[in-house]
Every structure is written in C-alpha cells, then in structure tokens.
C-alpha cells in the first residue's frame, strides 16, 4: 500500500513537471491570441462579408463569399497599388540597407566620442514619430517656402537639373511623391540598420580584419570576404524586417499626398485598403480583402527569403 502511494506521488510529480512549462506559456499564448490571432481571424471573416454603414450601425453582416476579392482583382487601382508597393519596397529596402550599412561601418571606424555623437544624432532621427517625420519632409519640399526648391535653384548652370524651381509642386505627380517618400523613409529607418550592423561588427574578432590587411586585402575585399559572411544572419533579420515595414507604409504617404484625395495612381496597398474601408460610403469588406492580400504577400515573401537563407546556411 505504501509503495503504491509512493508510485502515485512520483507519477503526479512527473506529470506536474511536464505541465509546468505549458502553465508558464499559457498567459503569453492567451495575449498573442487576443491581440494578434483574433484580429487576423476577424479580418479574414470580414473580407468575405458586405460590411457598410448599415452593418456598422448594428445590422448583421451579409456573406458575399469571394465577391470582394473578385472586385479588387478586376480593379485597375488594385494592380497599380500593388505595383507601387512592390517597386517602393524594393527601392526603400535596398537604399536603407546600403545607407545603414555604410553609416554602421563609418561609426565602427570613429573614435569613442565621435561615434557616440553620430549614434545619438542618428537615433534621434529614428526615434522621431513617423507623422512628425512626414510633416517635416513635406515642409522641406513645400512649393512655396520649401528648402528643396531653394537649394535646387542654386545649382550651377551646367547641371541638367538647373532650372527655375520656384513654385515647383512635388506632391501631385506619382514619381515625385514616391521620391520624397523614399527620402523620408530612408532618413528615419537607416539608424536602426546602422546600429544593428555596428553591434554585429563589434562581435567580429579584430584579428580577422588585421589578417586580411596583412594579406593585402582592401576594404571592399575585406567586407565581402569577412564582414558580410559573418554578419549574414544580422542582414537576414534586417532585410525581413525592412520588407515588412516598407510594405506597410501608410502614414507618411497619407500625409505627403494630402490624404486619400491624391491621384489613385499614387496609392499603395495600405492606402488603397484604407480608402476602401473608410471612404464614403465605407466598405470594410473590400478593405479587409485588400489587407488579406497584402498580408498573404508579406507572408510568402518572408517565408521564401527565410527558406533561402536557411538553404544557404545548410550549404556552408
């Protein structure tokens, strides 16, 4: 009888130890499910429903199946928004990574005081709220009092861009809007890349770079032969994060373009979803369908890139 009781206590002890990790994980799972999974579930459900003013005021939502998806795929604005999103993300991710990496390498070469000053200045740009950044860049490129037009007017006569830039408007044409948006996004995003690259550089033993210099390798060869291979995991994370952030650009474009009143040719996917969901009359079902497509594209791109990185690591 006593041995049976001991076996029972031992069995319960093993069960308790096995369940303890799940007990600690349960609060996190509940929070993630409430804040992330349930909103995504509601977004997918709404993408198959007709959700307008009547439904917002309490009427039950009507299921329309895949009608919302058929509408957006037949709409030219959707395809131009998708094209704008893809091209801008490719340019912004590339420019941010290049500028951020160069600044990170520069900071790594500076002395303690100068590197601290540069990091502080860069982080101030990164910490500035995106709305404030957009307002700042809109002011810089203002057609009346903007600094950009004034500086362009000072260019030498032999340059091809020399012209009278007084009163030039930057926010009516799609190309010029995205040019300013690119500067705005790169300016506020590169500090994070620079600091991340700097942290990775600090972890590389100095003997490796010293050995490369002794062997006669220049900065370009040293970077591609030593620095980049060792920082590949850091770059993998930074590229994935940059793709996700630049695909979801909304508030900067909304402010620079003056809201949804800009030409629809300049919409990206986020702004197109917003305009459909909250325009007059609102159609949240259409907006949700566009958001589902954007989420699916992001998921596929991230999955493909991570798989490619994992395959490269296996081949090494």
């Amino acid at each position: 009888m006593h041995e049976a009781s001991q076996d029972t206590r031992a069995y319960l002890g093993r069960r308790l130890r096995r369940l303890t990790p799940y007990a600690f994980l349960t609060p996190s799972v509940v929070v993630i499910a409430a804040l992330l999974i349930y909103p995504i579930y509601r977004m997918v459900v709404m993408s198959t429903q007709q959700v307008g003013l009547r439904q917002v005021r309490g009427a039950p939502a009507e299921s329309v199946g895949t009608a919302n998806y058929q509408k957006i795929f037949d709409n030219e604005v959707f395809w131009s928004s998708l094209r704008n999103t893809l091209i801008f993300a490719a340019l912004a991710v590339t420019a941010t990574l290049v500028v951020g990496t160069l600044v990170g390498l520069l900071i790594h070469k500076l002395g303690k005081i100068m590197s601290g000053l540069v990091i502080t200045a860069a982080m101030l740009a990164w910490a500035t709220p995106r709305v404030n950044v957009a307002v700042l860049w809109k002011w810089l490129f203002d057609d009346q009092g903007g600094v950009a037009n004034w500086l362009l007017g000072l260019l030498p006569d032999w340059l091809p861009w020399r012209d009278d830039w007084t009163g030039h408007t930057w926010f009516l044409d799609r190309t010029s809007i995205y040019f300013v948006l690119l500067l705005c996004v790169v300016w506020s995003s590169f500090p994070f890349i620079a600091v991340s690259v700097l942290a990775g550089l600090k972890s590389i033993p100095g003997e490796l770079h010293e050995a490369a210099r002794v062997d006669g390798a220049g900065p370009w060869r040293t970077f591609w032969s030593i620095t980049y291979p060792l920082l590949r995991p850091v770059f993998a994370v930074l590229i994935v994060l940059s793709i996700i952030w630049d695909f979801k650009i909304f508030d900067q474009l909304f402010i620079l373009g003056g809201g949804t009143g800009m030409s629809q040719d300049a919409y990206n996917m986020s702004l197109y979803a917003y305009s459909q969901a909250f325009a007059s009359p609102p159609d949240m079902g259409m907006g949700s369908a566009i958001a589902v497509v954007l989420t699916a594209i992001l998921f596929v791109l991230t999955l493909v890139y991570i798989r490619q990185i994992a395959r490269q690591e296996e081949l090494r």
Side-chain angles (χ1 to χ4, degrees):
M1 185 66 181
H2 180 66
E3 291 180 357
S5 176
Q6 283 184 332
D7 291 343
T8 302
R9 283 199 295 271
Y11 172 75
L12 292 176
R14 288 195 299 271
R15 295 282 297 177
L16 186 61
R17 285 194 295 273
R18 194 172 298 171
L19 293 175
T20 299
Y22 296 101
F24 282 111
L25 288 175
T26 299
S28 302
V29 173
V30 171
V31 171
I32 291 173
L35 298 181
L36 184 63
I37 298 177
Y38 181 71
I40 292 178
Y41 164 74
R42 287 298 307 160
M43 179 179 70
V44 174
V45 171
M46 285 179 65
S47 69
T48 62
Q49 294 176 332
Q50 176 67 39
V51 184
L53 270 180
R54 201 162 57 86
Q55 286 73 26
V56 172
R57 291 169 179 167
E62 302 169 6
S63 177
V64 295
T66 59
N68 288 331
Y69 292 96
Q70 292 174 355
K71 285 182 184 175
I72 62 173
F73 290 145
D74 292 337
N75 195 326
E76 292 183 1
V77 179
F78 169 78
W79 295 109
S80 66
S81 303
L82 178 60
R83 183 186 61 238
N84 293 339
T85 303
L86 291 172
I87 294 175
F88 176 77
L91 294 174
V93 170
T94 304
T96 305
L97 285 173
V98 170
V99 174
T101 303
L102 290 175
V103 173
L105 292 169
L106 172 66
I107 296 174
H108 188 58
K109 296 290 184 183
L110 295 177
K112 189 173 181 180
I113 296 177
M114 283 303 297
S115 63
L117 290 175
V118 175
I119 291 174
T120 302
M123 294 310 291
L124 283 176
W126 185 64
T128 304
R130 288 178 299 184
V131 172
N132 295 21
V133 173
V135 172
L136 170 66
W137 281 91
K138 187 165 187 174
W139 173 77
L140 290 174
F141 282 85
D142 184 71
D143 57 348
Q144 296 301 321
V147 179
N149 286 348
W150 175 72
L151 289 175
L152 288 170
L154 299 178
L155 291 175
D157 293 336
W158 52 272
L159 285 177
W161 307 285
R162 180 70 175 92
D163 199 353
D164 183 11
W165 291 87
T166 306
H168 178 76
T169 304
W170 292 85
F171 305 111
L172 294 179
D173 176 65
R174 178 180 60 184
T175 303
S176 56
I177 287 179
Y178 276 91
F179 173 71
V180 179
L181 179 64
L182 182 66
L183 295 177
C184 174
V185 170
V186 171
W187 183 82
S188 60
S189 302
F190 85 85
F192 178 78
I193 306 293
V195 173
S196 301
V197 170
L198 179 64
L201 289 170
K202 296 288 186 186
S203 67
I204 298 177
E207 293 82 3
L208 294 177
H209 288 112
E210 185 64 30
R213 278 194 292 270
V214 171
D215 290 342
W220 182 259
R221 176 73 181 276
T222 302
F223 176 81
W224 288 110
S225 300
I226 296 177
T227 306
Y228 178 73
L230 293 176
L231 295 184
R232 194 192 301 270
V234 176
F235 281 113
V237 174
L238 293 176
I239 289 174
V240 171
L241 290 177
S242 297
I243 290 174
I244 294 173
W245 290 337
D246 292 337
F247 253 80
K248 298 190 303 181
I249 291 293
F250 170 75
D251 34 15
Q252 295 99 320
L253 180 60
F254 185 86
I255 292 173
L256 290 175
T260 56
M262 72 171 81
S263 170
Q264 289 187 331
D265 289 344
Y267 281 7
N268 64 2
M269 292 283 285
S270 298
L271 192 59
Y272 182 42
Y274 174 85
S275 69
Q276 291 296 316
F278 299 103
S280 181
D283 191 344
M284 297 185 182
M286 283 276 288
S288 298
I290 299 167
V292 168
V293 173
L294 178 60
T295 304
I297 293 173
L298 274 175
F299 180 76
V300 171
L301 285 176
T302 305
L303 197 64
V304 169
Y305 186 76
I306 291 177
R307 186 179 176 80
Q308 184 68 23
I309 292 296
R311 186 175 298 174
Q312 290 178 0
E313 292 298 322
E314 290 173 359
L315 293 176
R316 292 177 61 188

